[in-house]
Amino acid sequence: MRTPMIAGNWKMYKTAREAAEVLRALRALVEGATNVDVCVCPPYTALLAAVEAAKGSRIQVGAQDCHWEKEGAFTGEVSVPMLADLGVGCVIVGHSERRQHFGETDATVDKKIGAVLAHGLSCIGCLGETLQEREAGQTLAVLERQVKGGFARHLSAPRLVIAYEPVWAIGTGKTATPTQAEEAHAFLRQLVGQLAGPAVAGSIRILYGGSVKPDNIAALMAQPNLDGALVGGASLDPNSFAKIVKFRG
Ligand code: PEP
């Protein structure tokens, strides 16, 4: 059985003090939500405060990116061991905003996923098609290229989670319909099966991301191949994020 996971991506929002406040409110709100893994990913500068505020709760703190090297002359970058040292348990890799604005490629996604897993952290690896690609009927081909280029070597790692995030649905208020999401998730699971075997396909978690809100999470989670959500905007408010975590009602 795949335990659902709800992860929040705070992007470039919240200072350390604000992050601690949200975490303190959130931990009380989600304490009773058993059988759901909960993760919150603040900006680097708020990670330590978030880890402290989440201590002893069921909330894991994650980072939004990392470098693949352990250390070196990479100005402005942060390595996985540095994140682990803070108590961070999870790292998002390959988010479409990193791909769009910061030159992330399938090749760097591959290296980053490898580094996160090698240091014992969980990794949420993101992929998804643009609107132009969807309208051109290329969605499944794009997903296949992204899996083969960035994920294929790591699929058997139990701490790898895939997040399907159609770029056109991120921060736009346009959610994929449950049917559209399920089609992509089913395709990804079948592709994982081809590349890594049926046991991995059956156990790997595939999250959906793209304008998930308290009022659409239940319909999305009713789809058989959806194992949770990566939530941007709606994760910034503890009450709305807690409602998503408690999607079972
Ligand atoms: C995201 O940042 O991964 C995301 C899905 O954002 P939003 O929920 O705001 O669309």
Side-chain angles (χ1 to χ4, degrees):
M1 241 348 246
R2 301 185 294 267
T3 304
M5 179 181 200
I6 305 291
N9 172 17
W10 287 0
K11 311 193 188 198
M12 200 170 71
Y13 291 98
K14 299 198 188 293
T15 62
R17 189 181 48 77
E18 290 165 344
E21 275 169 19
V22 172
L23 259 303
R24 279 193 290 271
L26 187 63
R27 59 183 291 163
L29 292 168
V30 301
E31 216 44 53
T34 48
N35 292 329
V36 183
D37 290 341
V38 184
C39 176
V40 168
C41 304
Y44 288 135
T45 49
L47 285 173
L48 187 56
V51 167
E52 294 290 332
K55 225 167 235 162
S57 77
R58 44 198 320 284
I59 304 168
Q60 186 174 57
V61 174
Q64 299 172 19
D65 189 25
C66 64
H67 195 275
W68 56 86
E69 292 292 347
K70 197 165 125 263
E71 57 189 11
F74 299 104
T75 302
E77 293 292 317
V78 174
S79 74
V80 182
M82 290 168 183
L83 296 171
D85 180 57
L86 294 180
V88 165
C90 176
V91 184
I92 298 172
V93 167
H95 191 278
S96 68
E97 287 154 14
R98 303 289 328 164
R99 293 179 188 254
Q100 253 182 309
H101 305 305
F102 302 100
E104 188 88 275
T105 63
D106 290 335
T108 57
V109 167
D110 172 58
K111 290 199 243 187
K112 289 181 182 186
I113 294 178
V116 173
L117 297 172
H119 288 96
L121 277 69
S122 299
C123 185
I124 302 175
C126 304
L127 40 69
E129 81 288 358
T130 62
L131 183 60
Q132 199 185 13
E133 289 163 340
R134 174 162 283 267
E135 286 176 349
Q138 296 166 348
T139 298
L140 303 185
V142 168
L143 299 184
E144 183 166 348
R145 191 192 69 223
Q146 291 174 328
V147 169
K148 288 186 171 166
F151 292 68
R153 289 192 309 128
H154 315 290
L155 291 171
S156 304
R159 285 187 304 276
L160 176 64
V161 176
I162 297 176
Y164 167 61
E165 298 207 301
V167 179
W168 49 270
I170 297 180
T172 59
K174 268 192 233 162
T175 323
T177 64
T179 309
Q180 284 171 322
E182 173 60 18
E183 185 198 15
H185 283 231
F187 172 77
L188 287 166
R189 199 174 297 288
Q190 159 272 317
L191 180 60
V192 170
Q194 260 177 39
L195 297 171
V200 176
S203 62
I204 198 162
R205 290 185 289 186
I206 308 179
L207 314 184
Y208 167 78
S211 299
V212 172
K213 306 279 180 243
D215 63 1
N216 58 27
I217 183 68
L220 289 160
M221 289 303 291
Q223 302 304 310
N225 285 294
L226 245 114
D227 305 313
L230 179 55
V231 185
S235 71
L236 293 168
D237 172 67
N239 291 301
S240 95
F241 189 58
K243 282 184 191 148
I244 295 172
V245 169
K246 296 192 264 190
F247 65 89
R248 291 192 183 93

